[in-house]
Amino acid sequence: MPGDKSITHRALIFSALTVGKSRITGALGALDCLSTISCLRRLGLMIEPAQGGDGWRKISTCGRLDLVVKSRGPAHLDFRESTRNGPLLLDAGNSGTTMRIMSGLLAGLPGNFALAGDESLSKRDMRRVLDPLSAMGATVTYRRSEGRAPFIIGGGNLQGGRFDLPMASAQVEAALLVAGLFARGKTTVTTPARVRDHTLKAFMHLGIPFINEGLTTEVEPLTGEIAAKDFTVPGDISSAAFFLVAAAIMPGSDLVIPAVGANSGRGLVVAVLRRMGVEITYANERLVNFEPVCDIHVKAPDSLTATDVSPEEVPLGIDELPILALAFALAKGRSKVSGAAELKEKESNRLSAICKNLANQGVKVEEMADGFAVEGSAAALLPGGGVWATEGDHRLAMTGLVAQLVAQKPLELGDVSCIDISYPGFQADLAGLVAGE
Ligand code: S3P
C-alpha cells in the first residue's frame, strides 16, 4: 500500500519542530502530501527525495517515497526575508489536513502567511481550526469568504487555553496541540469522541511531552530542542480499505495486504467488514514508531450481512464510509450509518454523493441529515450503467472503480484523475489484482 497519508503529513510537519537530519521511509508520494512538502519547503525546511536528484519525478507513479529532511528547528525556519513584502503564500492544494495542521504550526511562528487551496478546499470550513487559533492570539483575515480559504494567518504570540471541540476532528486536535507547543501556558484539547491518535504517537516517537487522559490531551510550550528522528510510515489502511471491500464483494478472493497501519483509531473498516461476515485476520503484528502495523489477510465470505455504524464509530473510519457503502449495497438486509454529518465536510459532500451514486445503481438508499441507510440487494452484482459521480473526490472515484468490478454493464464513471490525491497507481494496482498478477 502507499504510505499512510495522516502519518506522512504529521511526520513532515512535526519535523519542522525538530533539529537535525532525519529520513522518512515509505512516505506517501501523492498530491496531498506533496502539498505539505511544498508548504514546508517554502518555510525553509529542506526536504529532498532520499534517492537524490530526479527523485521528485518518480513520485507521481509509486505512492511511496523516501525523504530526507533537514531542520534547524522552528526558530530558524527561513521565511522572514520572503515575508518582508507581504505574507508568504502557501498552497495546500486539495488537502484539508495540510491546511489545518499547517495553520497550527504557522500560528506559532512570528510571520504572516497566506494559505490557499483548490476549489474544493476553498469551500471547506476552516473556522473549526482558525477560531480556536484566534482565541489563542493568532490573527486571521479571510480574503474572500468568511471561514474559508484563502486566508492570512499571523502568528507568534499565542496564549494557551482549554478547547472542547464540537466535532471529532483529529486534524483540529493536531493543529491546536502543535500551536500549544509555541503558546504561553498549557493548552488542553478535548474531542467529543475518540479520533485517530497519530499525533500523540508521533509526539511519543519524537519525545515531545504531553499528558493524555481519555479524550483530553494537554501540552506545554516546548522548552528544549527536539532531536530529529527517522520515521517509517506504514501502508495506509484507508487505501487498503478499497482492496478489503473489493475482496469482500468478489467471490473467491483471498488476499494479503502487507505492512498496513492497524491503529485502532482507524479500525472501523475492519470491524464493520468482520461484522458483515468477512474473515479478516492480522499477522506479523508489530509496533513501528509506536504505530501498530500488521499484514492483513482477507477472504471473501459466501454472503455479506448488513450492519449499522454508530456515531461513536464514525470518526474511526469516516474516510472509509464511501467504500463501505458499496459493501452495504450488496449485503443482505438494511445497513444504517448515523452520526456522520461530517461526511458533508470532506473533499465533496460525500453523504449526498454516496446516496446518489448508489441510487443510480437501483439501490434503495435513504439520505438522512447525519447519515444514510442502504437496503442491500444480497445480489453479487450491481446492474451497472448510470452515472457514478466522482466530483473531483479521490475516495468517490476509487469507490467507482471497485463498483465497476461488480457491475453488469460499465458505469458512467466521472473523472478519476483525482485519485492521485491519495493513491497514484490505484487503477493499475486494482486491475493487476483482478487479473491475478
Ligand atoms: C485526518 C483526519 C480526518 C480524515 C482526514 C485525515 C487526519 O479528518 O477525514 O482524511 O490526518 O487527521 P477530521 O479529523 O478532520 O475529520
Side-chain angles (χ1 to χ4, degrees):
M1 283 300 107
D4 186 276
K5 184 155 78 68
S6 292
I7 297 175
T8 301
H9 283 303
R10 285 163 174 78
L12 285 162
I13 296 173
F14 300 168
S15 67
L17 307 171
T18 68
V19 178
K21 183 174 166 185
S22 60
R23 191 180 171 112
I24 307 179
T25 303
L28 174 60
L31 293 179
D32 264 12
C33 294
L34 295 185
S35 295
T36 291
I37 291 173
S38 91
C39 291
L40 290 168
R41 291 178 98 198
R42 281 178 68 74
L43 287 175
L45 203 69
M46 201 227 82
I47 307 175
E48 295 295 343
Q51 68 266 49
D54 67 345
W56 292 123
R57 272 200 280 136
K58 295 198 188 130
I59 50 187
S60 56
T61 51
C62 70
R64 290 187 75 84
L65 181 64
D66 295 343
L67 295 167
V68 173
V69 184
K70 280 188 211 152
S71 177
R72 296 191 299 138
H76 298 279
L77 283 171
D78 180 20
F79 55 83
R80 283 169 195 80
E81 189 55 36
S82 39
T83 55
R84 186 161 294 170
N85 299 318
L88 179 69
L89 177 65
L90 302 171
D91 184 356
N94 188 254
S95 174
T97 316
T98 305
M99 188 167 272
R100 294 189 178 123
I101 306 186
M102 281 297 298
S103 294
L105 173 67
L106 298 173
L109 302 178
N112 277 304
F113 309 94
L115 266 128
D118 71 2
E119 203 188 322
S120 144
L121 187 53
S122 305
K123 288 186 194 144
R124 294 176 68 183
D125 168 51
M126 290 301 141
R127 264 199 201 114
R128 56 179 59 201
V129 66
L130 296 176
D131 281 356
L133 289 174
S134 300
M136 290 175 83
T139 56
V140 175
T141 319
Y142 296 106
R143 297 298 291 270
R144 210 176 292 151
S145 132
E146 248 344 76
R148 311 260 181 272
F151 59 87
I152 296 176
I153 183 164
N157 185 22
L158 301 183
Q159 174 69 50
R162 293 187 74 90
F163 300 99
D164 282 321
L165 303 186
M167 73 292 291
S169 169
Q171 294 176 351
V172 178
E173 183 198 48
L176 301 185
L177 292 176
V178 170
L181 299 175
F182 294 92
R184 294 180 300 280
K186 282 182 193 161
T187 302
T188 310
V189 185
T190 304
T191 56
R194 189 164 164 225
V195 297
R196 60 191 73 193
D197 66 353
H198 303 305
T199 298
L200 303 188
K201 294 209 154 52
F203 278 12
M204 281 198 284
H205 178 59
L206 292 170
I208 296 175
F210 65 88
I211 298 170
N212 169 261
E213 265 183 53
L215 303 176
T216 299
T217 306
E218 184 178 287
V219 290
E220 299 215 37
L222 282 180
T223 45
E225 260 180 30
I226 300 295
K229 259 191 166 176
D230 293 346
F231 270 91
T232 298
V233 181
D236 197 322
I237 182 70
S238 300
S239 297
F242 294 94
F243 295 103
L244 293 176
V245 172
I249 62 177
M250 292 189 70
S253 299
D254 189 347
L255 198 66
V256 176
I257 312 178
V260 183
N263 185 310
S264 56
R266 306 275 293 279
L268 179 81
V269 63
V270 169
V272 166
L273 288 175
R274 280 183 175 150
R275 295 208 291 267
M276 296 181 80
V278 183
E279 190 185 318
I280 299 181
T281 48
Y282 287 179
N284 203 7
E285 290 181 68
R286 64 236 188 233
L287 285 181
V288 177
N289 311 150
F290 293 94
E291 287 284 353
V293 179
C294 70
D295 303 339
I296 302 184
H297 187 179
V298 54
K299 275 189 189 169
D302 293 336
S303 62
L304 288 166
T305 316
T307 189
D308 290 341
V309 176
S310 68
E312 306 74 59
E313 286 185 303
V314 165
L316 311 179
I318 183 97
D319 295 336
E320 288 70 81
L321 289 174
I323 186 65
L324 280 172
L326 177 63
F328 297 152
L330 299 169
K332 184 168 183 293
R334 186 172 197 260
S335 300
K336 186 173 164 196
V337 176
S338 33
E342 279 289 308
L343 279 174
K344 297 184 232 173
E345 306 291 333
K346 298 294 175 186
E347 286 84 327
S348 67
N349 179 343
R350 288 183 181 157
L351 180 54
S352 69
I354 289 168
C355 295
K356 265 189 258 157
N357 285 341
L358 289 181
N360 288 345
Q361 291 306 307
V363 179
K364 271 205 219 152
V365 262
E366 189 191 331
E367 182 177 337
M368 296 163 306
D370 74 335
F372 58 97
V374 179
E375 202 66 57
S377 64
L381 296 172
L382 294 172
V387 172
W388 190 285
T390 59
E391 301 189 3
D393 182 333
H394 52 135
R395 309 235 187 251
L396 299 181
M398 288 193 270
T399 302
L401 287 173
V402 177
Q404 185 69 80
L405 301 177
V406 289
Q408 279 162 308
K409 280 187 290 175
L411 301 173
E412 288 173 41
L413 191 56
D415 183 17
V416 296
S417 60
C418 51
I419 289 175
D420 285 355
I421 285 164
S422 67
Y423 191 161
F426 173 72
Q427 207 163 351
D429 285 356
L430 187 66
L433 196 62
V434 173
E437 281 164 19

